[in-house]
Amino acid sequence: DVVMTQSPLSLPVTLGQPASISCRSSRSLVYSDGNSYLNWFQQRPGQSPRRLIYKVSNRDSGVPDRFSGSGSGTDFTLKISRVEVEDVGVYYCMAGLYWPPQTFGQGTKVEIK
Amino acid sequence: EVQLVESGGDLVQPGGSLRLSCAASGFTFSVYWMDWVRQAPGKGLEWVASIKPDGSEEYYVDSAKGRFTIYRDNAKNSLFLQMNSLTADDTAIYYCVRSLNMDVWGKGTTVTVSS
């Protein structure tokens, strides 16, 4: 099974400052079509998860442009350019290849300092 | 509006059974893979099962094999999860999720296994 490892697991940030979350896969997520299949999800307190980014860097509808995804192969990053209060929550990466099983990272908790 | 609404969660005793349902609306349900994902209290996300659009293939996390069955009724735009031989480790919020890339999530239904 592919293993997804996120870091850090806890990320205190100052409002208006940038934040960065790393996700590493135990296997390359590059598919034969040349795309890397890595998704990012946000789970705000008390809410269900929602997908933020698919195929590494594509934002879902309604996702603010302060969120960006990058990376390839086995190393990926989610960046928030300027953290806002509504960004507090837990962020998960998920491999889009080598299922079953579908595998998520452990989650990174973003909180305001 | 694309929507997934789960139901059927309850308090059940160890060894008991439960059937979860998910009502889909706002999209062509019959062309999408569908999933169940769960989240134990204070824990991360765990994929549970997936089913092909026509229902001909199903996949499960190892801990669910032989106990859980995912199935669907495309005529009624509904997804189900039959859960048998439940244990305390199955206590979680269960989310109905659209597609293998998990682009739409329901609000979840809570399953508590306890005596």
Side-chain angles (χ1 to χ4, degrees):
Chain A
D1 300 350
V2 64
V3 177
M4 307 299 290
T5 304
Q6 291 182 227
S7 63
L9 299 185
S10 178
L11 183 57
V13 295
T14 301
L15 282 174
Q17 292 300 301
S20 180
I21 300 170
S22 171
C23 175
R24 180 163 292 178
S25 171
S26 62
R27 299 174 66 179
S28 173
L29 298 184
V30 179
Y31 190 52
S32 55
D33 62 4
N35 291 310
S36 286
Y37 285 80
L38 184 284
N39 302 319
W40 287 99
F41 300 86
Q42 175 195 60
Q43 187 174 31
R44 291 170 171 154
Q47 296 186 12
S48 56
R50 72 157 173 162
R51 196 178 70 178
L52 285 181
I53 287 175
Y54 61 97
K55 286 195 287 187
V56 179
S57 59
N58 297 274
R59 279 189 302 275
D60 275 279
S61 176
V63 175
D65 61 7
R66 64 179 180 275
F67 289 93
S68 64
S70 63
S72 64
T74 60
D75 290 293
F76 304 92
T77 302
L78 175 69
K79 291 182 179 177
I80 310 173
S81 59
R82 294 174 304 279
V83 171
E84 299 189 6
V85 172
E86 66 181 21
D87 301 335
V88 166
V90 182
Y91 293 79
Y92 298 91
C93 61
M94 187 198 84
L97 294 179
Y98 310 119
W99 67 275
Q102 300 270 36
T103 52
F104 294 91
Q106 316 97 300
T108 295
K109 186 175 184 178
V110 173
E111 56 186 8
I112 304 300
K113 279 184 186 175
Chain B
E1 179 192 4
V2 174
Q3 201 169 9
L4 299 170
V5 179
E6 303 92 337
S7 60
D10 204 349
L11 170 64
V12 60
Q13 291 191 340
S17 298
L18 210 55
R19 188 184 82 156
L20 306 183
S21 301
C22 171
S25 59
F27 64 98
T28 306
F29 178 74
S30 61
V31 304
Y32 283 90
W33 283 81
M34 294 296 297
D35 319 283
W36 287 99
V37 174
R38 67 184 178 185
Q39 186 170 36
K43 302 297 184 182
L45 302 174
E46 180 184 39
W47 168 79
V48 175
S50 296
I51 187 167
K52 199 174 179 180
D54 63 2
S56 62
E57 294 179 27
E58 308 153 29
Y59 300 92
Y60 300 91
V61 67
D62 283 349
S63 61
K65 289 176 183 175
R67 299 189 303 127
F68 292 6
T69 302
I70 185 173
Y71 62 102
R72 62 195 297 162
D73 184 340
N74 285 343
K76 295 184 178 179
N77 293 333
S78 295
L79 177 71
F80 303 96
L81 185 67
Q82 177 66 43
M83 303 187 295
N84 300 328
S85 303
L86 287 162
T87 73
D89 289 341
D90 297 315
T91 294
I93 298 172
Y94 284 74
Y95 296 103
C96 172
V97 187
R98 187 178 81 170
S99 93
L100 295 176
N101 281 306
M102 303 197 183
D103 61 343
V104 179
W105 295 62
K107 295 189 186 311
T109 188
T110 300
V111 173
T112 304
V113 183
S114 175
S115 55

